[in-house]
Each structure stands twice: as C-alpha cells, then as structure tokens.
Amino acid sequence: MQSNNDPSNSAQVSRKSVLAVVLVYAIFAASWILVSDQLVHHVFKDPDQLTLASMLKGWVYVLVTSLLLYGLMRRWFGRNSEPQTVPQAPRSHWLSLGLLIVAILALMAASAALTIEQHTQEEFGRLQAVAGLKSRQISDWLTERRGDADFIQTSEFIIDLYHRWQIDGDLQSAERLQSRLEQFRKSWGVTAISLLRPDGERLWRSAKAPATLLPELLKLTELSTKSRQIQLVNPYRDDSGRVLLDLVVPLTAQPVAAPLIVLHIDLSEWLFPVLESWPVASGSGETLLFRRAGDEILYLNRLRFRPDAAASLRLPLNTPNLLAGKALQSPVSLDNILEAKDYRNVSVIGLVQAISGTDWLLLTKLDKVEIYSKARSEVVWIVCVGSLTIFIVCAGFYLLRQSQSLALATAVQKAQAERLRALDLLAAISDLSVDAIYAKDLDGRYILFNTAAANFVGKPVEEVIGQDDSALFPPHQAEHLKEFSRRVMAENITLTEEETLDTQFGSRTFLTTKGPLCDANGKTIGVFGISRDITERKQAELKLRESEARFRGLVEQSLAGIYIIQDARFVYVNPGFARIFGYQRTEDIIDGKTVADLVCPQDRQMVLENLRRRIDGEIEDLNYRFEGLHHNGQSIDVEVHGRSFDYKNRPAVIGFILDVSARKAAEDQLNLQAAELKARNDELERFNRAMVGRELDMVNLKQQVNELSAQLGRQAPYTLAFLSTQSESAVGHDFAEVHTESGLDPLKPDGISVSNADGLMGGDTSVAEEDRL
C-alpha cells in the first residue's frame, strides 16, 4: 500500500483535481451564459437598466466563479494538508481593519454624493442654456409682433380708408381696407384681425377671428383709446378653445377718437411648438410659461403632462413647495437654481426667468429622478469599486493571516506539488481567455497554445504543439516572430509591440507582450507570449486620424482667417489669417504678435474690451468690425466673429476674420452716388415747381385779357373752357388745348414742355397772344 506522500500518487491526484475544476467551471460558465442573458433581457427593457443589470451580472459571475474556484481548490489541494495552528490576531490588527473599512465606506458615500451633485450642476447648466435660448426666442417674437403693430398704428393709408368708409360712406374704401388688413394678416403670420370703433364696437373681423370679445379685451380697448398706446392682452381661450394672444393697436394717425385694430395670434402656431421642443433627449425636461393672476398661478402654454392646461390650469399661489410659487413670492430666486415640486407634485429642479415687456415668467425644469437615474451607473460603479476594495482589504488581511500558517509548512515536496497543480489550473483557465496565450521552448517550438490562439490560426491545439512559427504563418511573418522571441530571450527582458499576422479571419493586428520563461532556478527555458486582437481599435484610430487630417486641411486651406486667442495672444492662426495681415508665416503672428499689435490705435480699446467680455463670460459670441494693422503699416477694414470656449481647460476665444476693405470701399462709393442722385433730384423738383408757377401765371393773365375784351365788347381771344363746369370730356379737351397753347404736354406728369421752353421760360408771350388775336 502506497503512502500518501508517494510522488506518483500526488501527480495522479493533481491531474484529477485539475480536470474536476475545469469541468465544473466549464459547466457553470456555459449555464451562466445561456441563462443569465435571456433572464436579464426578459426582466429589463430600459437600455440604462439593461446596461446596469449586465454590469452587475458580470460582477456576480466573477464573485461566484471566484468562490467556486476557491472551494474546489481548497477541497482538492488541501485534502492532505495537516492542520496548522494559527496564532490569534492582535486586537490592534482588527481595529486597523475596521477603521480602514469605515474610511472606505465614507469615501464611497462622499464620492456618490459628489457624483450626484456634479450631475445636478451639469443639468442646471443645460437648463440655463435652454432658458436663455427660449427667453430670447420669445422676446424676439414679441418684439417682431410689436413692430408689426407699430407699423399699423402709424399707417395714414389705413386711417384714410377708414374715414372714407365711415364718414363718406364709400363701400369701395371699406373693401380696400379689409383687403389690405387681410394682406397684413397673411404676410405677418397673424391668425386673425378685428377692426373696432373708438368705443370698442367691432366693425369687421377676418376669418378665424373670435366670435365674441372678452371683457378684459374691451377694458384694454378703452385704455388703449385713452392712452393711444399699444396694449398686450395676455393669453386666453376663445369660444372655440383656441389659446390666443391679442395686440390692441390704436391708429394714432387719427387726431381724436381713433379706431382700433386687434391682432389675434394663435399661440399653437409658433409659441407652443417652440416651448415644447427640448434640445436633447429627456424623459421629463419641460419649458412652460406662467404668470400671476391675483392669488393664483395661471399656466399659459400646453404642459408636457397636461396638454389641456394652456390658459386654463390655475394653482393657488400659496401651494406648499410649488416651484412657480417660490419664483413669484421671491424675486431673488430668478435666474437661480430652485428645488421644489411642479404642478404634478413631483420633485424637480428648475430655473425661472422673466420675459421682458410682459408679466410672464419662463420656467425650465427637470425631474430629480432623471438626474439620479443618469448618475445611477456611476454610483453603482463607485459602490462596486468600494466593495471590491473592501473585499481586497479583507482578502489581504486574510492572506496576511494565512501567511502565518504557510510559514509553518514543513513539507517542501507537498508545496511543490501544490504549485504544479496551481500552474495546471491556470493553464486550464487560460483556455477560456479571449487573448492568445502561448509559450515556446528554446528552439521556438510551441509547448503551450490556448484555445483562443488555436482559433486564430484555425488549427487544433494538438497540431500546433511541437511546431514552430513556420508551420502557422507566411515565411516573412514567421521569421519576424522568431527574431522577436530570440531578442526577448537574449536580452532577458519583457517587450510589447504590435504585430500584423494572417489568420483564418484575415489580416489581424495584435498587441503582443513577450517575456522570458524561466525555471525554478531562474534559468531561461523559453519564451511566453500574450497577444490581444486590437484590429478594431486600430481601424478606429485610423479613421480618427483621417478625419483630423481632413479637418486640418479644410482649416489650413480656408480663405477666411481662423484664430484662437488666449491671454490676449494668438495660440493658433491659419495661413488665411496670416495672408489678411500680410505675414508670410503663421509663426510670425503666433510667436511674436499680440492682439493689440494687429489693431489700429483708435480701435484697440474696443477690441480688447470685446475680448475681455467674452473671456469673462459676459457674452458668448460677438460679430463686429474694426481697423486692423497690416504688416506694411497700412490699415485694413476687417470683420471678425468669435465666441468663447475652453482651450486646454482655460478660457479662450475662437473665431474667423474677413478682409472687408473692398466691400467697405464699395459701400462708401454707393453712399456717395446716392447723395449725388438726391441732390440732382432736389434740383429737378425745384425746377418743376418754378415751371408750374409760371404756367399758372399765364392762365391768370389770359383770364384778365378775356375780361378786358368783354368790357370792350369784343370776343374773348382765349378759350378757357376747363375753368367752367362743362362735361368731363369737354374739360379734358380744353385742358389739353390750353396746355398745348402754353407749351405744356398734358401727358407728362410734371406738366413741362421742353419744346416751348424758350418762349415760356424766357417770359415772351407775344407770339401766343398774336396767334389768338
């Protein structure tokens, strides 16, 4: 009967143990892969939850497999180990371990809180950007509508048509007025128009105009009539359920008792879609308008979760912890982050801004749950890392305690057997790795070749063992691999390099690490290697470099000047920028010039101030002109556009610049020509007035001659029938005759005849009088 310490028996037990461990591991891994993925996809549908569940599944897999390997190894490899007496750990060791775990837990909590706060600040920054954009859009839209109202208010044409209709009873003028108002409505994007008397009675309304006028609108109509100012009617619902915004416009061209025009604007045509749009995908992001209506808060637009709330949803101003109520009760809260409840009684963070020219407030908000969900994955990572750290600390403490027991081991042969079995186990586990793991002897023949490596070359492991690289790869690749291995063994170092090899999947790129393989005495007996397939990463890097090259080529070849300014100096300019200012090389500007060096003295203060405002964040972007300083000392007119951004984690300004000297010269020439044309036109107008006055004097003189002839009993020498009350045809004939006699062409708008200019302009009328006599 053989002893338990028999080497052959120990080797036999080791092989059986390794086989059992590998089989159990393979069964568990296969079952986990087949079942866990289907279970996760069946339970979780949301992509974020699915990602989180997959990550947790991986951690559970690592934990279970680690415990499984530990149990099996302890069962098989520790079967013959004799119990060792381990001294009890001192209390100070346990206290140190406890304090370390508490510190790790505190660090985990602080990191999680900091992560949530960071996401909150990021979302608040987005809310600020959205609020600024929306408020500018609404203010610009209201300004445009007020501009349309100002145009109507001062229209003398409209008031003239109104007088002809209401005072003279001219129905054609009424039709023209209604037609013109319809044209205004279509061209300005106004939903409907109503025309009111000074007392508020409606004379006419266009299509889609509300059937009845609200009492509030009638009150504002009376106020507008008295103040002669444009009045804005807050959004309201009409009889058909539409949400309208009205502008009451008194026609100030009328001295007194001015009629009024009401512009009805349907907010669902522009304002509501603008408010409902959100720049990024969000499950709760929302923008809404509201105002104070007495002791209530009136929501003016459609809400994301209450589409019917526009101009109808009212909440008490004193509603506890209501975000809109906080903003109305405390003006200091405007433009600051607020945490409260929204109209659904859901916890949100929001930002409130006032809309200029109105009593409206703009609120942009986001649910806290969405912020926490975005930070959830990072918090889970923090928890996992912290848990892993605690596990490592406990494992280290445990290993420290085990080292004391290992120091008591006396059987060297048993320890060597344990090491061999552990090595066999690691070799078995390496077959499950996705990286190619292999080893060669001194002659370059493979003595270890895992499954992943065999999968790349397309041959079974049994055919590869004992072969060298010449049997697996083309000659030039095989020779390179051999030379790499010889260098590693000769220099006794570990090297890493990229290799491109032909595999059964085509040409693939590997990141290979090779090192010398040594025996127990430190003698080199071969070389080991680990190769990771990085083909996809290399392709991605190549595409990125190509993209960067295309972008750089576009910038470098641009005719416009492109620049980056930081600390009042140029950190980058393209060749187009250098050409504009007359420099041969971009380095002449980057290394030797500041911003002030390229600006004429009279504009330096303005340029530097605009640069400072963008750097300090007062404005984001700016477009203006200034006089630049050319390399030859001459001034050039340039137009610059720039915006602030972070360059290497510091504020800077990026933009482009154009040479507009030729365009400015052309504009100056056009302005000069326009002034000359205006002067000539004024001279012609004075000449026309002089000629018309002279003609009127001639007609008056002929009247006097006719009157003298009548007193003398003679026939009147001149026919002035156009001054009598004859029919229109006779008047037209006589009028043309008189103009012919006087030298005026009746078809000319100015009534001046060039052919008779010598006689009439010179004051000689004798010839015309002799012809009549």
Side-chain angles (χ1 to χ4, degrees), residues 105-143:
L105 292 175
L107 185 60
M108 288 169 53
S111 300
L114 182 61
T115 299
I116 294 175
E117 179 64 22
Q118 181 180 0
H119 277 274
T120 302
Q121 292 299 327
E122 290 178 357
E123 294 301 331
F124 178 65
R126 294 190 181 97
L127 288 179
Q128 283 183 315
V130 173
L133 173 63
K134 300 295 183 183
S135 62
R136 286 195 300 270
Q137 288 177 327
I138 295 173
S139 298
D140 293 344
W141 179 74
L142 288 174
T143 302

Coordinates of all heavy atoms in Angstrom, one line a residue, residues 105-143:
L105 N -15.9 53.2 3.3 CA -17.3 53.4 3.2 C -17.6 54.9 3.2 O -18.4 55.4 2.4 CB -18.0 52.8 4.4 CG -18.1 51.2 4.4 CD1 -18.7 50.7 5.7 CD2 -18.8 50.7 3.2
A106 N -16.9 55.7 4.0 CA -17.1 57.2 4.0 C -16.7 57.7 2.6 O -17.3 58.6 2.1 CB -16.3 57.8 5.1
L107 N -15.6 57.3 2.1 CA -15.1 57.7 0.8 C -16.1 57.4 -0.3 O -16.4 58.2 -1.2 CB -13.8 57.1 0.5 CG -13.1 57.6 -0.8 CD1 -12.9 59.1 -0.8 CD2 -11.8 56.9 -1.1
M108 N -16.7 56.2 -0.2 CA -17.8 55.8 -1.2 C -19.0 56.7 -1.1 O -19.5 57.2 -2.1 CB -18.2 54.3 -0.9 CG -17.2 53.3 -1.3 SD -17.7 51.6 -0.6 CE -19.3 51.5 -1.3
A109 N -19.4 57.0 0.2 CA -20.6 57.9 0.3 C -20.3 59.3 -0.2 O -21.1 59.9 -0.9 CB -21.0 58.0 1.8
A110 N -19.1 59.8 0.1 CA -18.7 61.2 -0.4 C -18.6 61.2 -1.9 O -19.1 62.1 -2.6 CB -17.4 61.6 0.2
S111 N -18.1 60.1 -2.5 CA -18.0 60.1 -4.0 C -19.3 60.0 -4.6 O -19.6 60.7 -5.6 CB -17.1 58.9 -4.4 OG -15.8 59.0 -3.8
A112 N -20.2 59.2 -4.0 CA -21.6 59.1 -4.6 C -22.3 60.5 -4.5 O -23.0 60.9 -5.4 CB -22.4 58.1 -3.8
A113 N -22.2 61.2 -3.3 CA -22.8 62.5 -3.2 C -22.2 63.5 -4.1 O -23.0 64.3 -4.7 CB -22.7 62.9 -1.7
L114 N -20.9 63.4 -4.3 CA -20.3 64.4 -5.2 C -20.7 64.1 -6.7 O -20.9 65.0 -7.5 CB -18.7 64.3 -5.1 CG -17.9 65.2 -6.0 CD1 -18.2 66.7 -5.6 CD2 -16.4 64.9 -5.8
T115 N -20.9 62.8 -7.0 CA -21.3 62.5 -8.4 C -22.7 63.0 -8.6 O -23.0 63.6 -9.7 CB -21.3 61.0 -8.5 OG1 -19.9 60.5 -8.4 CG2 -21.7 60.6 -9.9
I116 N -23.6 62.8 -7.7 CA -25.0 63.3 -7.8 C -25.0 64.8 -7.9 O -25.7 65.4 -8.8 CB -25.8 62.9 -6.6 CG1 -26.0 61.3 -6.7 CG2 -27.2 63.5 -6.7 CD1 -26.7 60.8 -5.5
E117 N -24.2 65.5 -7.1 CA -24.1 67.0 -7.1 C -23.5 67.5 -8.5 O -24.0 68.5 -9.1 CB -23.2 67.5 -6.0 CG -23.0 69.0 -6.0 CD -24.3 69.7 -5.7 OE1 -25.3 69.1 -5.2 OE2 -24.4 70.9 -6.1
Q118 N -22.5 66.7 -9.0 CA -22.0 67.1 -10.3 C -23.0 67.0 -11.4 O -23.1 67.9 -12.3 CB -20.7 66.2 -10.6 CG -20.0 66.6 -11.9 CD -18.8 65.7 -12.1 OE1 -18.5 64.8 -11.3 NE2 -18.1 65.9 -13.2
H119 N -23.7 65.9 -11.4 CA -24.8 65.7 -12.4 C -25.9 66.8 -12.3 O -26.4 67.3 -13.3 CB -25.4 64.3 -12.3 CG -24.6 63.3 -13.0 ND1 -24.8 63.0 -14.3 CD2 -23.7 62.4 -12.5 CE1 -24.0 62.0 -14.7 NE2 -23.3 61.7 -13.6
T120 N -26.2 67.2 -11.0 CA -27.2 68.2 -10.8 C -26.7 69.6 -11.4 O -27.4 70.3 -12.1 CB -27.4 68.4 -9.3 OG1 -27.9 67.2 -8.8 CG2 -28.5 69.5 -9.1
Q121 N -25.4 69.9 -11.2 CA -24.8 71.1 -11.7 C -24.8 71.1 -13.2 O -25.1 72.1 -13.9 CB -23.4 71.4 -11.1 CG -23.4 71.7 -9.6 CD -24.2 72.9 -9.3 OE1 -24.2 73.9 -10.1 NE2 -24.8 73.0 -8.1
E122 N -24.5 69.9 -13.8 CA -24.4 69.8 -15.3 C -25.8 70.0 -15.8 O -26.0 70.7 -16.8 CB -23.9 68.4 -15.7 CG -22.4 68.3 -15.4 CD -21.9 66.9 -15.7 OE1 -22.8 66.0 -16.1 OE2 -20.7 66.6 -15.6
E123 N -26.8 69.4 -15.2 CA -28.2 69.6 -15.7 C -28.7 71.0 -15.5 O -29.4 71.5 -16.4 CB -29.1 68.6 -15.0 CG -28.9 67.1 -15.3 CD -29.0 66.8 -16.8 OE1 -29.8 67.5 -17.4 OE2 -28.3 65.9 -17.2
F124 N -28.3 71.6 -14.4 CA -28.6 73.0 -14.2 C -28.0 73.9 -15.3 O -28.6 74.9 -15.8 CB -28.2 73.5 -12.8 CG -28.5 75.0 -12.6 CD1 -29.9 75.4 -12.5 CD2 -27.5 75.9 -12.4 CE1 -30.2 76.7 -12.3 CE2 -27.8 77.2 -12.2 CZ -29.2 77.6 -12.1
G125 N -26.8 73.6 -15.7 CA -26.1 74.4 -16.8 C -26.9 74.2 -18.1 O -27.1 75.2 -18.8
R126 N -27.4 73.0 -18.3 CA -28.2 72.8 -19.5 C -29.5 73.6 -19.4 O -30.0 74.1 -20.4 CB -28.5 71.3 -19.7 CG -27.2 70.5 -20.0 CD -27.6 69.1 -20.5 NE -26.4 68.3 -20.8 CZ -25.9 67.4 -19.9 NH1 -26.4 67.3 -18.7 NH2 -24.8 66.7 -20.2
L127 N -30.1 73.6 -18.2 CA -31.3 74.3 -18.0 C -31.1 75.8 -18.2 O -32.0 76.5 -18.8 CB -31.9 74.1 -16.6 CG -32.5 72.7 -16.3 CD1 -32.9 72.6 -14.8 CD2 -33.6 72.4 -17.2
Q128 N -30.0 76.3 -17.8 CA -29.7 77.7 -18.0 C -29.6 78.0 -19.5 O -30.1 79.0 -20.0 CB -28.4 78.1 -17.4 CG -28.5 78.3 -15.9 CD -27.2 78.8 -15.2 OE1 -26.1 78.2 -15.6 NE2 -27.2 79.7 -14.4
A129 N -28.9 77.1 -20.3 CA -28.8 77.3 -21.7 C -30.1 77.3 -22.4 O -30.5 78.1 -23.3 CB -27.8 76.3 -22.3
V130 N -31.0 76.3 -22.0 CA -32.3 76.2 -22.6 C -33.1 77.4 -22.3 O -33.8 78.0 -23.1 CB -33.0 74.9 -22.1 CG1 -34.4 74.9 -22.6 CG2 -32.2 73.7 -22.7
A131 N -33.1 77.9 -21.0 CA -33.9 79.0 -20.6 C -33.5 80.3 -21.3 O -34.3 81.1 -21.8 CB -33.8 79.2 -19.1
G132 N -32.1 80.5 -21.5 CA -31.7 81.6 -22.2 C -32.1 81.6 -23.7 O -32.5 82.6 -24.2
L133 N -32.0 80.4 -24.3 CA -32.5 80.3 -25.7 C -34.0 80.6 -25.8 O -34.4 81.4 -26.7 CB -32.1 78.9 -26.2 CG -32.6 78.6 -27.6 CD1 -32.0 79.5 -28.6 CD2 -32.4 77.1 -27.9
K134 N -34.8 80.0 -25.0 CA -36.2 80.1 -25.1 C -36.6 81.6 -24.8 O -37.5 82.1 -25.5 CB -36.9 79.2 -24.1 CG -36.6 77.7 -24.4 CD -37.2 77.2 -25.7 CE -36.9 75.7 -25.8 NZ -37.3 75.2 -27.1
S135 N -36.1 82.2 -23.8 CA -36.4 83.6 -23.4 C -36.1 84.5 -24.5 O -36.8 85.4 -24.9 CB -35.8 84.0 -22.1 OG -34.4 84.0 -22.2
R136 N -34.9 84.3 -25.2 CA -34.5 85.2 -26.3 C -35.5 85.0 -27.5 O -35.9 85.9 -28.1 CB -33.1 84.9 -26.8 CG -32.0 85.4 -25.8 CD -30.7 85.4 -26.5 NE -30.3 84.1 -26.9 CZ -29.6 83.3 -26.1 NH1 -29.3 83.6 -24.9 NH2 -29.2 82.1 -26.6
Q137 N -35.9 83.7 -27.7 CA -36.8 83.5 -28.8 C -38.1 84.1 -28.6 O -38.7 84.8 -29.5 CB -37.0 82.0 -29.0 CG -35.8 81.3 -29.6 CD -36.0 79.8 -29.7 OE1 -36.7 79.2 -28.9 NE2 -35.4 79.2 -30.7
I138 N -38.7 84.0 -27.4 CA -40.0 84.6 -27.0 C -39.9 86.1 -27.1 O -40.7 86.8 -27.6 CB -40.4 84.1 -25.7 CG1 -40.7 82.6 -25.7 CG2 -41.7 84.9 -25.3 CD1 -41.0 82.0 -24.3
S139 N -38.8 86.7 -26.5 CA -38.6 88.2 -26.6 C -38.5 88.7 -28.0 O -39.2 89.7 -28.3 CB -37.4 88.6 -25.8 OG -37.5 88.2 -24.4
D140 N -37.7 88.0 -28.8 CA -37.6 88.4 -30.2 C -39.0 88.3 -30.9 O -39.3 89.2 -31.7 CB -36.6 87.6 -30.9 CG -35.2 87.8 -30.4 OD1 -35.0 88.8 -29.7 OD2 -34.3 87.0 -30.6
W141 N -39.7 87.2 -30.6 CA -41.0 87.1 -31.3 C -42.0 88.2 -30.9 O -42.7 88.8 -31.7 CB -41.6 85.7 -30.9 CG -42.9 85.4 -31.5 CD1 -43.2 85.1 -32.8 CD2 -44.1 85.4 -30.8 NE1 -44.5 84.9 -32.9 CE2 -45.2 85.0 -31.7 CE3 -44.5 85.6 -29.5 CZ2 -46.5 84.9 -31.3 CZ3 -45.8 85.4 -29.1 CH2 -46.8 85.1 -30.0
L142 N -42.0 88.5 -29.6 CA -42.9 89.6 -29.1 C -42.4 91.0 -29.7 O -43.3 91.8 -30.1 CB -42.8 89.7 -27.6 CG -43.6 88.6 -26.9 CD1 -43.3 88.7 -25.4 CD2 -45.1 88.6 -27.2
T143 N -41.1 91.2 -29.9 CA -40.6 92.4 -30.5 C -41.1 92.5 -31.9 O -41.5 93.6 -32.4 CB -39.1 92.4 -30.4 OG1 -38.7 92.4 -29.0 CG2 -38.6 93.7 -31.0

